[in-house]
Amino acid sequence: MRRGAARLRPTRSCHPLPVASESPLMEIDNLTAAELRVWRAYPRGEAVDFRAAGDDDPAEGTGWGPERTLRAAVLRALLVGAPQEDGEIPVLKVAGARIAGSLNLMYAEIDHAVRLSQCRFDEAPKLYGSRLRQLNLAGSALPGVSLGSTRVDGVLRLTECRFQGPVRLGGAQISAALFMERARIAAPDAQEPALQLNHVTLGDDLWAPGLRVHGLTRLNGATVAVSVNLEDAEFVRRGGHVIVAEALNVGANVLARRLRADGRVGLRGARMRGRCRPWGPPRR
């Protein structure tokens, strides 16, 4: 028996869609077949994989058709107000989908884990000021993301993501680790830093070996409870600083072997309580 759903409203596509009676959310009509799969899987925490082959590239996902396209408004309705099933734990697990429209979860409180891996986002997700249980965007292609002042009660995973715009994490509080290994961030012409980690608080590691950033990276006032791993990372910016990490506070080690920094690195007032393995020479 479903909780929080006092009635069923059939959509015009003849699929019954539960609508939470206490929710002010818009009614979602005409669910596509792809959206219906996700809507039915979410209350039971089941995974929905739209990938046609193992080598699907989200960066080329502009041509993905309706069979694997999800409206951001549908995902928002699921996460904010969808009914639950007794004895089940909802989790949003989607792989290989195109997310159409703006996924706006600003100031929302999401009690269940969210995994949107290897997805193509048409617009940068807006999660400023939200509270999340756990967020996994691994392998996805995005035009940027807004996670400033967000609170994550678990891990934030941006592993192998490709961003074509700023990654805003300023003031975020993440109780576990932030994973950014092999991520790509390209915002060389932006009027703001490409990677914004100023005043972020991490309860575990900043784990980012192989990270590539084109543009300014800002870590001013960030606190990392354990270690920072930037081995094999590359930071490129023409002119001025490429990394500004004034008053950075690291509880253990900073690992930066084979790091490449094409520009100046500012570490004034930074504190590192463990070892600091230096990076390689600037790229010529």
Side-chain angles (χ1 to χ4, degrees), residues 17-276:
L17 173 64
V19 178
S21 59
E22 298 178 357
S23 173
L25 295 174
M26 60 179 288
E27 294 178 359
I28 303 296
D29 290 335
N30 294 324
L31 284 184
T32 66
E35 292 167 347
L36 186 61
R37 285 179 62 189
V38 174
W39 193 278
R40 288 175 170 170
Y42 169 74
R44 297 184 292 274
E46 297 174 352
V48 180
D49 192 342
F50 293 103
R51 290 172 293 184
D55 59 352
D56 271 0
D57 186 357
E60 306 297 327
T62 53
W64 292 352
E67 73 282 357
R68 57 191 302 182
T69 297
L70 306 173
R71 286 172 292 170
V74 174
L75 298 182
R76 184 181 189 278
L78 273 176
L79 292 169
V80 175
Q84 302 179 22
E85 294 185 2
D86 288 331
E88 301 290 349
I89 299 175
V91 181
L92 182 62
K93 298 180 183 178
V94 175
R98 177 184 177 185
I99 313 301
S102 174
L103 182 57
N104 188 342
L105 293 168
M106 291 177 62
Y107 306 109
E109 293 193 12
I110 310 300
D111 294 329
H112 308 292
V114 176
R115 186 178 76 195
L116 295 167
S117 58
Q118 293 186 301
C119 290
R120 165 82 184 196
F121 288 77
D122 288 352
E123 300 182 32
K126 300 174 182 176
L127 296 102
Y128 180 91
S130 61
R131 179 170 181 174
L132 310 171
R133 180 72 173 272
Q134 188 171 358
L135 179 62
N136 184 343
L137 300 176
S140 293
L142 311 91
V145 67
S146 176
L147 283 159
S149 298
T150 295
R151 178 172 175 177
V152 182
D153 293 332
V155 166
L156 174 57
R157 189 174 296 276
L158 304 177
T159 300
E160 295 183 348
C161 283
R162 281 165 286 178
F163 298 96
Q164 293 297 320
V167 175
R168 303 181 182 98
L169 277 157
Q173 299 180 49
I174 303 168
S175 64
L178 169 58
F179 291 96
M180 300 188 73
E181 65 269 35
R182 298 178 301 281
R184 303 288 185 268
I185 304 171
D189 300 323
Q191 299 299 312
E192 59 181 305
L195 177 55
Q196 301 171 29
L197 292 168
N198 43 298
H199 301 289
V200 72
T201 301
L202 304 181
D204 206 310
D205 294 328
L206 170 55
W207 196 259
L211 172 68
R212 300 286 185 271
V213 182
H214 285 236
L216 175 62
T217 294
R218 191 175 293 279
L219 281 150
N220 289 1
T223 299
V224 181
V226 189
S227 295
V228 173
N229 187 335
L230 294 173
E231 295 189 339
D232 297 299
E234 180 179 271
F235 299 85
V236 177
R237 184 182 183 226
R238 298 301 176 186
H241 283 85
V242 66
I243 300 174
V244 180
E246 296 180 359
L248 169 67
N249 190 346
V250 181
N253 303 320
V254 175
L255 309 177
R257 290 177 299 187
R258 299 175 301 277
L259 180 149
R260 291 281 187 174
D262 188 357
R264 296 199 299 271
V265 177
L267 296 171
R268 185 172 58 185
R271 293 186 297 172
M272 306 161 194
R273 292 176 173 80
R275 295 175 297 169
C276 181

